[in-house]
Amino acid sequence: VKPLAAGVDLGGTNIATAIVDASGRVRSRDRRPTLAGRGPNAVLARMADSVRSAARVAGLGLRDLAAVGVGSPGPLDPKRGVVLYSENLRWRNVPVAAVLRRALGRRVFLENDANVAALGEAWAGAGRGEPVVLCVTLGTGVGGGLILDGRIYRGAWDVGCEIGHIVVEPGGPPTRYGNRGVLEQYVSATGIVRMAREAGLKPRGGEAVLTARDMMARARSGDPRARRVYREAGRMLGVGLTTAIHLLNPSMVVFAGGVSAAGPLLYGPMRREIARRCFRASLRGLKFRRAALGGDMGAVGAARLAFLGLEGAV
Amino acid sequence: VKPLAAGVDLGGTNIATAIVDASGRVRSRDRRPTLAGRGPNAVLARMADSVRSAARVAGLGLRDLAAVGVGSPGPLDPKRGVVLYSENLRWRNVPVAAVLRRALGRRVFLENDANVAALGEAWAGAGRGEPVVLCVTLGTGVGGGLILDGRIYRGAWDVGCEIGHIVVEPGGPPTRYGNRGVLEQYVSATGIVRMAREAGLKPRGGEAVLTARDMMARARSGDPRARRVYREAGRMLGVGLTTAIHLLNPSMVVFAGGVSAAGPLLYGPMRREIARRCFRASLRGLKFRRAALGGDMGAVGAARLAFLGLEGAV
């Protein structure tokens, strides 16, 4: 029998759990609201319930699971299994692995959500078989994960790969961390809304605020200001990836997150910028892909984390 | 007896060879001009002679050497041991490893000079014992090497880590590779001379051209324009390293090359920029050091490459 693991993708809004076999196939799923407002203990109890429920759906007991992996917002300490801080969840020093281990009687491995998403795509998604996968999540913010021969690149203290915070315009707008002109300020949903506002765009159709989704619709229907916003986002994405390509020489870049759905609006200007700026040697075999696992990405990656953890390979 | 290896550092001007033991201690050295103008075969013969001579000085024969490592300008193919192209040497597709193996009767391993320098410093120099060492060579150009737990980070196709070509000012001056505003244009000797010229500085004391060395002397003696040039170079170095720190999370950055001797003129503005822009989590334990191996750096790194090659670990 193939070993099975549970992967839990903990988000600010939802908990998504999957039971996954060693080949990356999803056997069952559970999805429920996080309800972060109820505090860490309630959320951890909901995570444990979600694992039990997903196991039940697959016709399994907890003892059939080799281990449990968790992807969480960070920063966190993977070795101790503790989320150090999450603004989204309003958590500080929450011992996720210890609590879930007690609740479920299984070993638990913890990793930040961007790394886990990258691991999922590199293992069983768009990056299957690729030696060096850089996964870039274009969501509310911009996150990154680098997977080398199937393992997470962690750097010295588990801080990398923070691609959202690389500098693309040194005199650009200030971030609240003291940096300026970082990738996230241009190509996240938040950044797109900021640029749209600066371009004089207003909410429409009874909406209270500008959204990246609405900007995408307007750009697609030909609104020149909205198109310009995406062109600028794509250009900056190209500048940032040029730097990442020069430093990391990935074989594939995988895009995930809501903004990654923008298509040619975003990827056209990005590709032009990269083609102009990068060495031919680094571009020759380089592939750009959208994430293939959709809503399973985090949970599948978390399950892979559990398998790697059992092998002592995380 | 400890195994010994020969390391050969092939430069545009000099060939520097060292016989090195498994603990990183240099037993003997040989240094001679490259005389690249005489063509690849003559240079390869000089490299072989240099190894023989260094072995003789140490009281050894070629059979006492476990293997030979070579650091060379690139791009090159480490697997086949071929230098694909070097503008400096005017080489194209030179099978260095095969030729030297025939001449010396020893296994030969080839790697690009920036990676080999980084390997030397991480193994036996400033970075000894550090988990993630980013080595930045500030010379005529800017090169980089990333050493993870003692191994060279290669990326997918041996192109990374080209830190000299990361973008620090997207609208900056064009490079001849089609990129703009890359780190190398600000913090290499060439870049410093360019900025000095743009600041209106002229050659002095009978010199025909501006040099980075003279700019350093002028800045140290208080010339405000020369100081501004170094301030700008340091600021851009800080911007570039901010990005490298966010992507790679190194535990140490090692600076090598002529420009790295500039001291506080360069490192003051660099540190201010980094302190302002980086996360505290990535800076807490991060060390900045000058290279410790001096002129032995490349040869010692090449010897380490030979030891790793024999273990099948390159």
Side-chain angles (χ1 to χ4, degrees), chain A residues 131-132 134 146 148 153-163 165-171 177-181 235-236 239 242-252 276-279 281-287, chain B residues 131-132 134 146 148 153-163 165-171 177-181 235-236 239 242-252 276-279 281-287:
Chain A
V132 184
L134 174 64
L146 178 67
L148 303 178
Y153 177 88
R154 299 177 169 286
W157 307 296
D158 298 308
V159 182
C161 123
E162 287 286 0
I163 196 171
H165 297 271
I166 72 174
V167 182
V168 291
E169 183 68 85
Y177 303 104
N179 205 341
R180 278 181 171 276
R235 207 175 66 81
M236 287 309 204
V239 169
T242 293
T243 284
I245 289 164
H246 275 116
L247 276 179
L248 304 172
N249 184 21
S251 61
M252 180 180 281
R276 189 182 299 146
R277 290 181 183 265
C278 285
F279 295 149
S282 18
L283 294 185
R284 206 174 296 140
L286 178 60
K287 303 177 203 84
Chain B
V132 184
L134 175 63
L146 177 67
L148 303 179
Y153 177 88
R154 299 178 170 288
W157 307 295
D158 298 308
V159 183
C161 119
E162 289 286 0
I163 196 170
H165 297 271
I166 72 175
V167 181
V168 291
E169 184 70 84
Y177 303 105
N179 205 342
R180 278 180 171 277
R235 206 174 68 78
M236 287 307 204
V239 168
T242 293
T243 284
I245 290 165
H246 275 117
L247 275 180
L248 304 172
N249 184 22
S251 61
M252 180 181 280
R276 190 181 298 146
R277 289 180 184 266
C278 285
F279 296 148
S282 17
L283 294 184
R284 206 175 297 141
L286 178 60
K287 304 177 202 86

Side-chain angles (χ1 to χ4, degrees), chain A residues 38 99 112 216 305:
Chain A
R38 298 192 185 167
V99 172
N112 88 55
M216 204 187 293
L305 179 79

